Amino acid sequence: MSSTELIDPVALRGRQKPLKDAYREDPASAIVVSTARAVIDPDSLSATVSTWAGDVRAGLHPAAGGDGSEACSGDILLEAVAACAGVTLRSVAVAMGVPFRSAEVRVRGTWDARGTLGVDRAAPVGLTDIVLELDIDSDAEDKTIDKLMELTERYCVVAQTLAEPPTVTFTRAG
């Protein structure tokens, strides 16, 4: 079944019901381990990440000395937030029966290059502010759109991961 077949709320509920029932019956079966892998290029300042859509070569952001020809990891993170929020928004809209003509998620992140480059130890390393802007063209009432946005925020896995960060551990393979 393709994602386009899930536009019907009955089909979406039908596809999710057995999963929800199984997870209620056996909570441990709901635990999913996702993985990613980057292969570092020893001859450049880049790493290649395999994605569902093909390989992405990541490098330094121009503010950190890159030339802008390779994807920036911070941008990839923001793209993941946008993708997750977009899919979540659409899924929630289908489940709620909220039609819309168009919808767009725009994500903006702010970071201080001084922290990344070690210029100022007091400057933070990483994104310090992420703003998601949802633009929904719909005839639905404002309170319905507000509920749609609330549920999108609640169920967006990537945004919630950033809002309530998990423990991150670096280990040495071998």
Side-chain angles (χ1 to χ4, degrees):
M1 178 180 293
S2 73
S3 62
T4 57
E5 294 177 68
L6 297 177
I7 293 176
D8 175 357
V10 174
L12 177 59
R13 285 188 191 96
R15 184 158 174 134
Q16 290 180 339
K17 184 181 182 333
L19 295 169
K20 289 179 177 184
D21 291 346
Y23 300 155
R24 285 184 187 103
E25 179 70 25
D26 179 14
S29 71
I31 305 304
V32 177
V33 176
S34 296
T35 63
R37 179 173 167 254
V39 177
I40 295 96
D41 182 344
D43 298 320
S44 71
L45 295 173
S46 67
T48 301
V49 179
S50 296
T51 74
W52 289 81
D55 289 349
V56 173
R57 188 174 167 110
L60 294 174
H61 188 281
D67 65 9
S69 66
E70 297 166 322
C72 164
S73 301
D75 292 341
I76 293 170
L77 177 66
L78 297 178
E79 291 161 354
V81 175
C84 187
V87 170
T88 303
L89 173 93
R90 184 62 181 128
S91 298
V92 172
V94 168
M96 289 177 60
V98 178
F100 56 81
R101 286 175 288 284
S102 65
E104 183 176 329
V105 177
R106 292 182 289 273
V107 182
R108 182 180 70 247
T110 303
W111 59 284
D112 186 337
R114 295 175 305 156
T116 299
L117 292 174
V119 171
D120 182 348
R121 287 193 171 272
V125 176
L127 293 161
T128 56
D129 181 57
I130 298 174
V131 176
L132 284 80
E133 181 181 47
L134 284 64
D135 185 0
I136 304 165
D137 182 10
S138 174
D139 292 329
E141 295 180 9
D142 285 345
K143 70 177 186 171
T144 300
I145 297 298
D146 290 345
K147 185 67 172 179
L148 175 61
M149 290 180 60
E150 174 189 324
L151 293 174
T152 297
E153 179 179 356
R154 178 177 179 182
Y155 293 117
C156 178
V157 172
V158 178
Q160 285 302 318
T161 300
L162 293 170
E164 297 291 332
T167 301
V168 177
T169 305
F170 282 72
T171 63
R172 184 175 179 175

